[in-house]
Amino acid sequence: MRPVGVERAWAAGPYDRAVRAGRGPLFLRRTDGWLLPLDVERWCADADPADLTVLRRCEGSVLDVGCGPGRLVAALCTRGRRALGIDVSEEAVARTVRLGGRALRRSVFERLPGEGTWDTALLMDGNVGIGGDPDALFARMALLLTSGGLLIAETVPQRDVDERVLVHVTDAHGTVGSPFPWARLGTPALLRYADRAGWLAEGQWSAGGRCFVALRSRSTSSSAEPPNSAALTSSQRARNPSVDSPAAPS
């Protein structure tokens, strides 16, 4: 079940404007007024040394969930790796394609190419927060990966964080739409959710002030489709995800 309102919040207004410009300011605003700055400039730059510690650990084919402007997908494709980014923002997908990466405008909770066959999946830049329900997200990721597949997730540097909140995406022009659920997890909290969902902890590390965890899947999906789906190579489908999906993002 896909979280209501999330796609609309990220797919228009402040986020698209920031990605188009390549800079912020951009924030997640909690309903009590607290602001979480979003690092748009880093997302729109080339993969940095901290990112490279992640890319070096990737195995086989790579699915970047919430790929944003596409720096990781582009870096993987440049290295000859088979990689696909998914994002609900049309602007983010278009930028990824312009960088030479492959991307689809799609939610992780929709049907995706190659389900059950991806060797590695990435949840970077706060994307463990997608949907505001870590249990549901970890269950979904297990269906996307092959048995024994690798999930690399970025966590909040503050280790004691385990937070589920309602937020808006906002910039200097204000907020758009209704609040949507989001989660923030430090490493201990992420490992607790992962263990409960049946993942095996394989490693954790820090680089450039950022924190990462590697997890190994123990499950096998029964809904796999061929990994060489034509959707991976069509920028037209990146702009029109309904072509091979029963549910297109709103």
Side-chain angles (χ1 to χ4, degrees):
M1 184 176 188
R2 49 195 280 205
V4 177
V6 176
E7 287 90 343
R8 186 174 296 111
W10 289 104
Y15 181 67
D16 271 3
R17 284 197 297 268
V19 169
R20 192 176 303 116
R23 63 183 184 275
L26 191 70
F27 307 91
L28 290 183
R29 179 188 293 273
R30 212 161 54 189
T31 52
D32 64 3
W34 177 87
L35 293 174
L36 174 68
L38 300 178
D39 199 352
V40 178
E41 288 82 357
R42 179 172 61 80
W43 299 350
C44 290
D46 294 335
D48 65 18
D51 294 326
L52 296 181
T53 70
V54 172
L55 300 186
R56 284 195 291 267
R57 287 170 169 81
C58 291
E59 302 170 355
S61 57
V62 183
L63 178 68
D64 186 2
V65 174
C67 66
R71 73 187 191 284
L72 300 181
V73 176
L76 286 163
C77 289
T78 297
R79 289 160 173 76
R81 303 293 294 272
R82 178 176 166 267
L84 173 69
I86 60 167
D87 203 285
V88 296
S89 163
E90 183 174 2
E91 186 66 33
V93 167
R95 184 165 180 144
T96 301
V97 172
R98 288 197 299 271
L99 290 176
R102 294 179 289 187
L104 289 173
R105 188 181 177 200
R106 200 74 57 86
S107 162
V108 67
F109 294 103
E110 295 178 298
R111 188 165 180 262
L112 298 174
E115 292 202 13
T117 69
W118 293 98
D119 299 303
T120 303
L122 302 178
L123 287 171
M124 296 291 104
D125 303 325
N127 286 328
V128 293
I130 291 173
D133 185 346
D135 291 314
L137 183 58
F138 278 125
R140 177 58 177 148
M141 299 306 293
L143 294 177
L144 298 175
L145 288 168
T146 186
S147 181
L150 182 68
L151 172 62
I152 302 178
E154 184 171 352
T155 64
V156 175
Q158 295 78 25
R159 291 178 56 83
D160 60 344
V161 173
D162 183 356
E163 182 179 65
R164 303 194 203 187
V165 293
L166 291 175
V167 296
H168 285 94
V169 179
T170 185
D171 61 8
H173 302 282
T175 60
V176 172
S178 302
F180 59 92
W182 196 253
R184 297 175 66 237
L185 303 178
T187 295
L190 183 140
L191 290 173
R192 286 195 300 271
Y193 286 109
D195 180 68
R196 187 162 67 198
W199 293 83
L200 299 172
E202 185 157 293
Q204 53 185 281
W205 69 98
S206 298
R210 298 160 61 196
C211 300
F212 307 94
V213 174
L215 304 167
R216 188 70 64 177
S217 170
R218 286 188 292 200
S219 37
T220 303
S221 169
S222 60
S223 60
E225 87 178 34
N228 61 344
S229 167
L232 298 186
T233 56
S234 171
S235 60
Q236 181 178 3
R237 290 191 182 185
R239 294 188 295 272
N240 182 12
S242 63
V243 173
D244 66 345
S245 170
S250 54

